[in-house]
Amino acid sequence: MTTVGAPRPAATAQAAPVALAGATVARPAAPEPPRGPRRPAVRVLLWVLLIAFAAMFLYPFVWLLSASLKGRGQVFDNALWPDSPRWDNYVTVWSELPLVHWMVNSVAIALLAAVLVAVSSSLVAFGFAYFRFPLRGLLFGLVLATMMLPGAVTMIPVYLVWKELGALGTWIPLFGANLFGSAFYIFLQRQFFLGLPRELFEAARIDGASYWSMFWRIAMPLSVPSFVIVLLFEFQASWNNLQAALIYLNAGSPEDFTAPLGIAYAMTKYSPTAGGQGDYQYVMVASLLVTLPMLALFAFGQRYFIEGVATTGRKG
Amino acid sequence: MTQVVAPAAERVQRPPLRKVRYNRREALAGYLFISPWIVGFLVFTAGAMIASLVISFSSYNLATNTARPAGVDNYTGLLEDPRVATALGNTLFYALLAVPLEIAFALFLASLLANVGRGAGVFRTLFYLPRMTPVVATAAVFFLLLNGNTGAVNDFLAVFGIEGPQWLVDPAWIKPSIVLMQLWAVSGTMVIFLAALKNVPRELYEVASLDGAGRFRQFWSITLPMISGAMFFNVIVLTIAAFQVFDQAYLLFWRDQTNASPEASLFYAVYLFQKAFRQFDFGFAAAMAWLLFVIILLVTLVQTTFGNRFVYYEGDRS
């Protein structure tokens, strides 16, 4: 019955940088009048430019595929197609690099990281969205403030925490902190929960639902779209995370590496500067294989990725 | 993003400055729900910040396992170490180069997409693909594409009769090389601009057109003001990211001992990482981190103060 501390979206929207980008799409899309310049010459130029840029953006992929099939020596020249495709590069990489280990490690870590952060952030977001409690506004302000903090500031103490817990050299530091939610995702999920009609929860309450079942059986099933965005964003972030792997796994055996650390390892191993000509085509094979899961993920969730970026500002 | 506004009736009824009575059960449940964040905040943010500050005022070396109070030694050490200045200079130069180019390129691509009606979705997806490529793979590919003698980028330039530089070897071209890689994956910024462009009311252009405003005038007087919110956001996010650039520089130059341009490729985040996790000089690295924090804070503050004079918020007309 009290409204103190009730959500003041306007104020928080100003405080949060993500909402700035969000604000630009807040307006419901009106039926679009036909766009595009009327003059044919301009339209042709537009299409030429679009196709040229599409080719430019796709070229490195084509080149990556081609380079992964080249032989030693040819990999540095810029022929778009290898003289004779060397499919055995893939066999060599398979036997020389613990690539399967890297992929399995990365998938396991990224899944754990994504699921943990999505569930914990949803819990916290529901706490901030639904319940009224003292200091709520201040605490949520702190959540937003932590988004501004560069990771470098907390990097060393966090390392010491994991060291004290005996987790160095294990995967735990790569996802452990996700158990406690993450500011950006808390913000995202809270915005979603605030959009749900409050009567829904009041009615469930009257029917005797517990707070937990309100969260788990009503709020969570309804938040699937934003939950998926959190899962995808975090999976990608985790898949990309080189620095944490360098800090926590670098000293271990290559079998324990993640995919990004593995590529860095392969770049050193096959580097032309390290041993004459180098076998850089193997690096290309590994890079290609490490990219494929992300492309598959994009094929499955491209709407979530692109709209997620458009509405929330998180650039994946 | 849906925004919920408290019903007007409720707002009127609320007496000013009344002592709030919380439902104790509800408040307790609320705290339980947010408790994961509270624990994480205390340990990994607030606690870590305090610890980081303490470490920055101590001589803490994990390699030799020694720690003693050091006063401001680490901070004066920042001034005395010429490599800190080098790293800072490189990073600033990179940010000044990268951010405007990323903004201009992303806005240009978004304008193309916004003007193309049918088929825009396909191109949007194609343009977005680089963003899905892991940074390590991007760096590995561009290592070859930017090869000064046989790389595709210089081959492309040669078509126009331009002799391309030794991108990854010539110290002057190392930072532009990394900018180029960033431009290839600029689509996150592009998507935000695209969303903003789509929200500019078409009527404005029609009216301006009737008044005789040309394309350039329309862009300058309608488009730019209307997307200034997205512009402001992109500039701030890209600047903060530019100050922390690490992955490409590390992969291309610092992963082994064969770096040909140790001065030109020394970025702030790379030097910080080396100090912390290669030399385990935690005191010095913590001081570096705080300097970075202060710089980012100041730059963001200046951008915000400056930017707020130009940003047009639709809700602000009252």
Side-chain angles (χ1 to χ4, degrees):
Chain A
M1 54 165 287
T2 148
T3 58
V4 169
R8 277 173 302 157
T12 39
Q14 293 300 322
V18 279
L20 282 174
T24 61
V25 290
R27 192 204 328 233
E32 252 179 69
R35 277 163 194 271
R38 283 156 201 82
R39 275 181 301 161
V42 176
R43 195 178 303 178
V44 168
L45 178 69
L46 196 67
W47 278 89
V48 168
L49 280 173
L50 280 172
I51 291 167
F53 278 116
M56 199 188 85
F57 281 118
L58 289 181
Y59 185 82
F61 291 103
V62 178
W63 194 86
L64 174 60
L65 179 65
S66 131
S68 75
L69 296 172
K70 287 176 177 174
R72 165 190 290 235
Q74 210 208 342
V75 67
F76 276 92
D77 81 40
N78 194 34
L80 194 54
W81 202 246
D83 292 339
S84 56
R86 297 185 51 141
W87 298 100
D88 57 319
N89 284 348
Y90 285 77
V91 181
T92 311
V93 168
W94 194 268
S95 59
E96 281 194 9
L97 295 176
L99 203 69
V100 186
H101 284 272
W102 298 344
M103 304 288 266
V104 172
N105 296 349
S106 271
V107 168
I109 290 168
L111 271 179
L112 267 167
V115 171
L116 280 179
V117 89
V119 172
S120 59
S121 299
S122 300
L123 260 174
V124 175
F126 190 69
F128 277 117
Y130 179 77
F131 301 97
R132 284 162 291 208
F133 50 84
L135 299 180
R136 184 173 71 169
L138 177 79
L139 292 174
F140 192 68
L142 277 177
V143 172
L144 297 181
T146 58
M147 282 200 277
M148 313 285 186
L149 192 69
V153 171
T154 53
M155 197 162 71
I156 290 168
V158 167
Y159 175 87
L160 293 172
V161 167
W162 292 123
K163 182 172 183 278
E164 282 307 303
L165 294 174
L168 296 188
T170 74
W171 293 346
I172 296 169
L174 303 189
F175 59 79
N178 284 8
L179 200 58
F180 307 108
S182 169
F184 173 75
Y185 304 129
I186 292 171
F187 177 77
L188 186 66
Q189 284 289 69
R190 174 180 165 276
Q191 289 295 100
F192 190 89
F193 290 142
L194 286 178
L196 300 175
R198 209 177 160 80
E199 295 78 32
L200 208 64
F201 297 106
E202 308 288 1
R205 197 85 199 110
I206 291 164
D207 289 345
S210 68
Y211 288 129
W212 174 256
S213 60
M214 282 161 61
F215 167 70
W216 192 247
R217 306 176 74 138
I218 302 176
M220 283 301 271
L222 287 170
S223 79
V224 165
S226 57
F227 192 81
V228 171
I229 290 180
V230 174
L231 283 180
L232 291 176
F233 278 8
E234 185 63 19
F235 191 94
Q236 193 192 8
S238 173
W239 190 267
N240 256 323
N241 197 338
L242 171 70
Q243 200 173 36
L246 280 171
I247 292 173
Y248 293 106
L249 300 178
N250 202 37
S253 86
E255 267 98 52
D256 296 333
F257 288 178
T258 58
L261 190 58
I263 300 291
Y265 170 81
M267 281 176 86
T268 303
K269 184 177 162 87
Y270 298 116
S271 171
T273 43
Q277 204 156 33
D279 281 310
Y280 212 76
Q281 68 278 14
Y282 299 149
V283 179
M284 294 292 103
V285 173
S287 298
L288 183 73
L289 294 178
V290 159
T291 306
L292 286 179
M294 283 298 101
L295 297 185
L297 202 67
F298 187 57
F300 153 74
Q302 62 143 302
R303 191 172 63 87
Y304 290 103
F305 272 110
I306 294 182
E307 316 253 299
V309 171
T311 51
T312 65
R314 173 74 164 226
K315 288 167 194 174
Chain B
M1 269 188 215
T2 331
Q3 298 199 338
V4 178
V5 178
E10 246 183 316
R11 242 188 264 157
V12 176
Q13 278 169 15
R14 184 171 65 194
L17 290 174
R18 190 180 53 139
K19 248 227 149 127
V20 197
R21 280 184 29 237
Y22 291 98
N23 176 335
R24 192 179 284 214
R25 259 180 65 83
E26 187 189 328
L28 185 69
Y31 283 125
L32 273 178
F33 269 92
I34 69 164
S35 59
W37 174 76
I38 292 179
V39 173
F41 178 78
L42 291 178
V43 177
F44 289 104
T45 309
M49 282 176 78
I50 294 167
S52 170
L53 204 58
V54 171
I55 291 170
S56 78
F57 287 104
S58 67
S59 160
Y60 191 117
N61 193 314
L62 197 73
T64 55
N65 215 358
T66 52
R68 55 173 176 77
V72 293
D73 284 4
N74 289 321
Y75 289 93
T76 51
L78 294 184
L79 297 174
E80 286 156 13
D81 183 348
R83 305 199 77 199
V84 172
T86 306
L88 204 55
N90 283 342
T91 308
L92 268 172
F93 179 81
Y94 167 76
L96 283 171
L97 194 65
V99 176
L101 284 174
E102 284 173 283
I103 290 285
F105 190 47
L107 183 55
F108 176 68
L109 291 174
S111 310
L112 287 184
L113 288 178
N115 275 308
V116 73
R118 202 168 299 166
V122 177
F123 284 107
R124 191 186 61 168
T125 304
L126 292 180
F127 290 5
Y128 197 84
L129 276 177
R131 192 80 226 172
M132 295 305 297
T133 314
V135 182
V136 282
T138 308
V141 172
F142 273 78
F143 178 69
L144 294 177
L145 293 181
L146 288 170
N147 185 298
N149 304 318
T150 56
V153 173
N154 279 359
D155 276 7
F156 177 74
L157 291 175
V159 173
F160 302 97
I162 302 166
E163 193 188 335
Q166 296 287 330
W167 292 95
L168 297 169
V169 181
D170 185 344
W173 287 96
I174 283 172
K175 286 167 279 285
S177 296
I178 296 176
V179 172
L180 219 60
M181 285 181 233
Q182 294 291 89
L183 285 181
W184 185 61
V186 82
S187 45
T189 310
M190 176 197 77
V191 166
I192 292 172
F193 273 134
L194 185 58
L197 287 172
K198 281 190 170 165
N199 271 309
V200 181
R202 305 297 296 166
E203 308 90 75
L204 291 179
Y205 293 111
E206 280 154 28
V207 172
S209 193
L210 288 177
D211 288 345
R215 285 217 153 230
F216 181 75
R217 184 64 208 261
Q218 288 180 21
F219 179 79
W220 189 254
S221 301
I222 299 174
T223 310
L224 273 186
M226 290 302 286
I227 64 163
S228 54
M231 172 78 79
F232 183 53
F233 173 81
N234 278 334
V235 169
I236 290 202
V237 169
L238 288 176
T239 308
I240 293 177
F243 272 104
Q244 300 180 71
V245 63
F246 174 83
D247 286 2
Q248 295 93 335
Y250 179 85
L251 284 167
L252 292 174
F253 304 104
W254 293 97
R255 91 198 114 74
D256 54 24
Q257 304 303 312
T258 56
N259 189 350
S261 301
E263 294 308 303
S265 61
L266 189 68
F267 288 87
Y268 200 84
V270 173
Y271 194 41
L272 204 168
F273 174 84
Q274 300 247 329
K275 276 286 178 191
F277 296 105
R278 292 294 173 258
Q279 298 165 27
F280 291 106
D281 189 350
F282 279 0
F284 191 87
M288 277 190 79
W290 279 98
L291 178 63
L292 178 70
F293 182 44
V294 170
I295 290 172
I296 290 181
L297 210 63
L298 283 177
V299 170
T300 313
L301 209 66
V302 168
Q303 285 177 334
T304 313
T305 323
F306 187 71
N308 269 337
R309 289 164 50 201
F310 297 97
V311 176
Y312 167 82
Y313 293 107
E314 245 185 295
D316 272 4
R317 268 172 289 200
S318 56

